[in-house]
Amino acid sequence: MATSAVTHPALVNGLAGLVNTIDGQLISVMSFTISDSKIAAIDILSDPDRLARLDLTRLEP
């Protein structure tokens, strides 16, 4: 059975970011620090225990 990853643009703690899901399950949250119009840092959260505690209700349509 094939799975499909979906990436949702999002604000993550006020920064540009992405929320990634597979088959509707959250797999990671990324945020980007921008400096001089370039990506200066990328923070990725993919720990299942920490992801389970996030409130993502604002992502629901």
Side-chain angles (χ1 to χ4, degrees):
M1 180 190 289
T3 60
S4 59
V6 178
T7 300
H8 311 270
L11 281 177
V12 179
N13 294 329
L15 299 173
L18 300 171
V19 174
N20 301 295
T21 60
I22 293 180
D23 294 334
Q25 293 288 88
L26 181 62
I27 58 165
S28 68
V29 175
M30 305 169 66
S31 66
F32 303 93
T33 301
I34 308 297
S35 178
D36 295 324
S37 300
K38 296 180 182 174
I39 297 173
I42 301 173
D43 291 302
I44 303 171
L45 174 62
S46 60
D47 175 46
D49 292 331
R50 291 180 63 195
L51 289 171
R53 296 191 304 251
L54 296 179
D55 177 11
L56 302 177
T57 56
R58 294 180 71 185
L59 290 178
E60 296 174 1

